[in-house]
Amino acid sequence: MPRVSQDQLDARRQEILAAARACFARHGYEGATVRRLEEETGLSRGAIFHHFRDKDSLFLAVAEDDAAAMVETVARNGLVQVMRDLLARADSTETAGWLGSQLEVSRRLRTDPAFAKRWAERSQAITDATHERLRRQRDAGVLRDDVPLDVLTQFLELAYDGLVLHLAMGRPPGDLGRVLDLVEEAVRKA
Amino acid sequence: MPRVSQDQLDARRQEILAAARACFARHGYEGATVRRLEEETGLSRGAIFHHFRDKDSLFLAVAEDDAAAMVETVARNGLVQVMRDLLARADSTETAGWLGSQLEVSRRLRTDPAFAKRWAERSQAITDATHERLRRQRDAGVLRDDVPLDVLTQFLELAYDGLVLHLAMGRPPGDLGRVLDLVEEAVRKA
C-alpha cells in the first residue's frame, strides 16, 4: 500500500477547505450539512473528518484562513484598506455568502462559550495587526498622537464591524466610500 | 354582552407587546414560539392574534416601538447619545436579549424580502431623524460643514451598527466610551 506523502495530505486539506468555504458561503453554517459538504468536496464524511475533527473545526479552519489573509492585508495596508476591499466586492455572491456566515458566527459567539474562545484567538490576531500597523504609522508621524493607540484600534474595529453588519443586512452601499474617508481622516494627524 | 372599550383594547395591546418583547429578548425570534408567547402573555393564541395578525406582525410591532423610542432620543439628543445609552446598559439581561434579536433581524433581512421591506420603513425613520438632528446642529454652527450631511449621517449609522455587532457578540466594552468621543468629534467642527 503506497504511503501518502505530506504534500498530498496538505493538498487534500486545501481542497477540502476551498470546497467547505464555498459550501458555508452558499448555505450558511447551519445549512452546510455534512451531506452537502460531501457533495461539495466530492469526498466521504470519513475522508473529510480524517482531516478535520468535526464541522466546527472545519468552519474554524476556514475562518483561520480568512483571519490570516486579513492579518496580512492589515499589516501591509491597514484595516481601512480591508474595509475598502470589502466594499468593492460587496456585490459578489461570494462576499454575500461570507457576510452571511459572519452573522452566523456572531450569533454563535453569544451562545457557545467554547466556540467563542477558539474564535477569540483569531480576532485577537487581527486586533494585534491593526494595533501594530497604527504604531508604525504613528512612528512615521502620519497618525494623530493625542489619542491612545488602543482607542484608535477599537475605533477602526467599530467601523469594520459596522460595515460588516451594514452589508450583511443587504443594505445598499450608499456613500460608504466617503464614510471610510472620514474614518481614515479621524485617525490621522490633522 | 358588555362592549370592550377602545381604551381596554389599547391597554390589552400594550400588555401583549410588553410580554412579547420580554419573550423575544429571552428566547430570540425563532425560540419565541407561539406556546411561549401564550405563557408569557397569559393569553391564548386566539387572543394574541386578535390584536396582531401573526408572529411577524407582533415582532415588527415591538420593533416599531423600539424605533419610535429611538427616533425620539435621536431627535432630542442625537445618535451618539443613543450609542452611549446602549453602552451604559450593555450588561443588562434585557439589553443582551435585545441585541440578540437585532442579529436575528439582520439574518432575516438577508433572506426575506417582504420582511426587509417592512423593516426598511423603521430604519428610514431613524435615518431621517439623525439627518434632521445633524441639519439643526449644522445650522447652530457646531457641525463640520466640509462633508455632506448624508455622509455624516451614514458615518454615525456605521458606528451604531458597529456598536450593535460588537456588543451582540458579547465582546467586552473596552474603551468604547472613548471611541464614541472620537466618533462625535469626527462630525463636529474642529
Side-chain angles (χ1 to χ4, degrees):
Chain A
M1 191 173 149
R3 292 279 298 277
V4 179
S5 75
Q6 188 59 41
D7 278 1
Q8 285 172 307
L9 280 176
D10 287 350
R12 172 57 56 91
R13 197 174 186 281
Q14 285 308 315
E15 278 171 35
I16 296 173
L17 273 180
R21 176 187 304 275
C23 193
F24 287 127
R26 193 167 306 140
H27 304 290
Y29 179 84
E30 301 294 342
T33 56
V34 173
R35 180 64 163 274
R36 281 182 170 145
L37 286 166
E38 287 182 320
E39 285 169 11
E40 193 88 40
T41 56
L43 297 170
S44 70
R45 59 193 69 198
I48 296 172
F49 296 125
H50 173 70
H51 291 266
F52 300 93
R53 203 177 59 206
D54 49 25
K55 187 169 126 180
D56 256 18
S57 299
L58 183 52
F59 185 76
L60 283 162
V62 169
E64 189 157 10
D65 266 13
D66 286 348
M70 190 162 156
V71 161
E72 217 171 281
T73 310
V74 166
R76 208 169 42 237
N77 304 315
L79 190 55
V80 175
Q81 189 57 45
V82 170
M83 292 189 243
R84 292 196 195 280
D85 293 346
L86 182 58
L87 189 57
R89 294 190 320 261
D91 282 339
S92 78
T93 319
E94 201 181 60
T95 303
W98 180 83
L99 288 164
S101 65
Q102 296 302 301
L103 281 193
E104 286 195 84
V105 165
S106 314
R107 277 205 328 147
R108 264 197 85 196
L109 293 176
R110 300 172 54 75
T111 51
D112 183 342
F115 181 83
K117 190 159 173 290
R118 295 176 71 181
W119 187 264
E121 291 160 26
R122 280 142 196 88
S123 45
Q124 187 59 46
I126 295 166
T127 299
D128 292 345
T130 304
H131 194 279
E132 172 58 19
R133 155 99 182 167
L134 287 174
R135 197 191 53 69
R136 291 201 311 276
Q137 293 223 289
R138 175 165 289 174
D139 290 348
V142 292
L143 211 70
R144 63 190 295 171
D145 44 23
D146 57 337
V147 177
L149 286 181
D150 281 347
V151 175
L152 295 180
T153 303
Q154 282 183 60
F155 172 78
L156 292 184
E157 291 187 322
L158 189 81
Y160 176 78
D161 286 341
L163 186 65
V164 166
L165 187 54
H166 180 112
L167 296 176
M169 287 190 284
R171 271 152 57 190
D175 274 329
L176 284 177
R178 296 175 78 179
V179 170
L180 294 183
D181 293 342
L182 214 56
V183 168
E184 189 157 29
E185 186 201 293
V187 300
R188 286 181 173 265
K189 192 163 268 179
Chain B
M1 191 175 151
R3 293 280 298 277
V4 179
S5 73
Q6 188 59 43
D7 278 1
Q8 285 172 304
L9 280 176
D10 287 349
R12 173 55 57 88
R13 199 175 184 277
Q14 286 309 314
E15 278 171 36
I16 297 174
L17 273 180
R21 173 186 307 275
C23 193
F24 286 128
R26 192 166 309 141
H27 304 290
Y29 180 84
E30 301 294 342
T33 56
V34 173
R35 179 64 162 277
R36 280 180 170 148
L37 286 166
E38 286 182 319
E39 286 169 11
E40 192 87 41
T41 57
L43 296 171
S44 70
R45 59 193 68 200
I48 296 171
F49 296 125
H50 172 70
H51 291 266
F52 299 93
R53 205 176 59 206
D54 49 25
K55 188 170 127 178
D56 256 17
S57 299
L58 184 52
F59 186 75
L60 283 163
V62 169
E64 189 157 11
D65 265 14
D66 286 347
M70 190 163 156
V71 160
E72 216 170 284
T73 310
V74 166
R76 208 170 42 235
N77 304 316
L79 191 53
V80 175
Q81 189 57 46
V82 170
M83 293 188 244
R84 293 196 194 279
D85 293 347
L86 182 57
L87 189 57
R89 292 191 320 262
D91 281 339
S92 78
T93 319
E94 199 181 63
T95 303
W98 181 83
L99 288 164
S101 65
Q102 297 301 298
L103 280 194
E104 286 196 81
V105 165
S106 314
R107 279 204 327 147
R108 261 194 90 191
L109 293 177
R110 302 172 50 77
T111 50
D112 184 340
F115 181 83
K117 190 160 173 287
R118 294 176 72 181
W119 187 264
E121 291 160 27
R122 280 144 194 87
S123 43
Q124 187 59 45
I126 295 167
T127 299
D128 291 347
T130 304
H131 193 280
E132 172 58 19
R133 156 97 183 169
L134 287 174
R135 197 192 54 68
R136 289 201 312 274
Q137 294 221 291
R138 176 166 288 174
D139 291 349
V142 293
L143 210 69
R144 66 190 293 170
D145 45 22
D146 58 337
V147 176
L149 286 182
D150 281 347
V151 176
L152 295 180
T153 303
Q154 282 182 60
F155 171 78
L156 292 183
E157 290 187 321
L158 190 81
Y160 175 78
D161 286 341
L163 185 67
V164 167
L165 187 54
H166 179 110
L167 297 175
M169 288 189 284
R171 271 152 56 191
D175 273 330
L176 283 177
R178 295 175 79 179
V179 170
L180 293 183
D181 293 342
L182 213 56
V183 168
E184 189 158 30
E185 185 200 294
V187 301
R188 286 181 175 263
K189 191 163 269 181

